[in-house]
Amino acid sequence: MSDLHVVILAAGKGTRMKSARPKVLHQVAGRPMIDFVLRAAQSLSPKSTTLVVGHMKELLRQGLAAYQDLSFVTQEPQLGTGHALLQTAGILERQSGLVLLLSGDVPLLRRHTLADLVEKHRESQAAATVLSALVERPYGYGRIVRVRGKISRIVEERDASPAQRKIREINSGVYVFSLASLFEALRGLATGNAQGEYYLTDLISSYRHRRFGVEVVVVEDQNEIRGINSRSELAEASRIVRQKKNEELMAAGVTIEDPATTYVDEDVVVGADTVIHPGVHLEGRTQIGQACEIHAGVRIINSVLDDRVTVQNFCVINGGRLGPGVTVGPFVHIRPETELRESVHIGNFVELKKSVL
């Protein structure tokens, strides 16, 4: 999408996390939450990706050093979402096309949802398109106010009337904007609200008042727009990602005896007819072949297991390679750069490092 630019908001303090590191670097199911956002955005092949940073910005830059082609702008002081997007003017104001605005703490958005949102915006030739969701408990979210079925405005929770707080359609904070009118409109925002901030949501009523097109796409799964602001929300997001991963593996022919106690990171690959017993952790970029058996209490990190490997109870395998038919354990520790070739058996309480057997 050569005319698509992505902006990710990541300047917030995340005070409810009570942490000495940036909120968006906290891990969801083995990956920094912002990594989910970046991967989803990169699937659209945007022309540019810009992060708006502020609180602990140097730590955030260091944490994202492995990512290529990222631009950073600083929001100081932090005066709201409208003010945050305005900080990208130096990079985007002379560009043409569209801006997809995402939040670094909303990691569960699926790639096809973003693609549908961008496509809807293009088809309608709107000035803005909003991603919304219908939820049972809308407390804390901005409400989508419609008039005759069309979006009229977005009202934040603190500024909403009692009637507006009963509205179940909420704003996700994810938008597509046409660049042609964006920065002029951003500079016209005011701070007449309970927070005294420049609300990005005020753009919607401004656009409607100017008779610009504004569209809404309603996401089917409300979990996609979950924001993470606390440790409990972090754990819930990890549970959702891991549950989805376990379901995908079982649908592909993997036996997971107890999905509730099986923790599999998203990038892990497991072959058909493999059996995973309770309390197993498969982490990083681990690859497990077909017809393996991973017994209870095993932890495997960034390792490769070929077909028909058996790992007995309470083993730790980190950075190793186990060939076809290998059996290890129980209580074996395989450390990095260790290779066990075909049909090797390792018994109880063995530790190996930088070894080839």
Side-chain angles (χ1 to χ4, degrees), residues 115-296:
D116 290 347
L117 180 68
V118 173
E119 186 60 29
K120 172 70 172 181
H121 184 88
R122 283 206 175 98
E123 289 178 353
S124 64
Q125 297 184 336
T129 303
V130 183
L131 186 68
S132 74
L134 294 171
V135 300
E136 290 298 324
R137 297 179 179 86
Y139 178 77
Y141 289 94
R143 308 304 203 276
I144 304 292
V145 179
R146 292 178 181 261
V147 176
R148 293 187 290 276
K150 292 286 188 179
I151 184 171
S152 172
R153 57 193 295 226
I154 299 174
V155 181
E156 298 293 347
E157 170 80 24
R158 294 191 180 191
D159 302 302
S161 67
Q164 289 169 338
R165 289 177 182 174
K166 294 179 180 179
I167 296 172
R168 292 177 49 238
E169 186 177 9
I170 63 167
N171 174 35
S172 69
V174 175
Y175 309 84
V176 180
F177 295 108
S178 295
L179 274 167
S181 54
L182 178 60
F183 289 102
E184 177 190 355
L186 285 172
R187 292 188 177 97
L189 293 178
T191 59
N193 52 65
Q195 293 286 83
E197 295 181 346
Y198 296 94
Y199 284 169
L200 189 59
T201 50
D202 288 345
L203 273 187
I204 303 305
S205 56
S206 172
Y207 279 176
R208 295 295 292 169
H209 180 73
R210 297 164 67 181
R211 300 187 182 277
F212 289 178
V214 180
E215 296 293 333
V216 180
V217 173
V218 182
V219 68
E220 293 182 3
D221 181 1
Q222 67 185 59
N223 282 329
E224 287 194 55
I225 65 163
R226 279 177 177 260
I228 296 177
N229 295 298
S230 65
R231 305 278 181 158
S232 61
E233 291 172 348
L234 186 72
E236 179 62 15
S238 292
R239 184 195 65 78
I240 291 170
V241 171
R242 289 189 167 116
Q243 179 181 353
K244 178 185 174 184
K245 180 67 175 183
N246 288 346
E247 290 172 353
E248 290 174 352
L249 290 176
M250 290 186 286
V254 177
T255 295
I256 300 179
E257 291 189 343
D258 185 11
T261 62
T262 301
Y263 297 83
V264 184
D265 286 356
E266 193 174 49
D267 291 334
V268 171
V269 176
V270 183
D273 290 324
T274 288
V275 178
I276 301 175
H277 293 265
V280 168
H281 294 241
L282 306 178
E283 302 176 23
R285 296 185 178 274
T286 291
Q287 299 179 41
I288 296 177
Q290 297 183 0
C292 297
E293 187 159 13
I294 314 299
H295 285 269

Side-chain angles (χ1 to χ4, degrees), residues 11-25:
K13 293 182 178 180
T15 54
R16 289 169 57 190
M17 297 293 287
K18 294 180 171 57
S19 177
R21 59 174 167 162
K23 177 175 70 170
V24 296
L25 294 184

Side-chain angles (χ1 to χ4, degrees), residues 2-74:
S2 59
D3 66 340
L4 179 67
H5 304 268
V6 171
V7 174
I8 301 174
L9 303 184
K13 293 182 178 180
T15 54
R16 289 169 57 190
M17 297 293 287
K18 294 180 171 57
S19 177
R21 59 174 167 162
K23 177 175 70 170
V24 296
L25 294 184
H26 283 262
Q27 293 198 344
V28 171
R31 284 166 45 202
M33 68 175 82
I34 197 169
D35 184 52
F36 288 82
V37 182
L38 285 166
R39 287 197 195 184
Q42 289 171 355
S43 71
L44 303 179
S45 300
K47 186 176 180 180
S48 70
T49 302
T50 303
L51 268 69
V52 181
V53 298
H55 185 61
M56 293 191 283
K57 61 182 179 181
E58 293 306 321
L59 288 177
L60 187 53
R61 284 175 181 266
Q62 294 169 17
L64 297 175
Y67 295 91
Q68 301 297 316
D69 301 322
L70 293 182
S71 299
F72 295 85
V73 297
T74 301

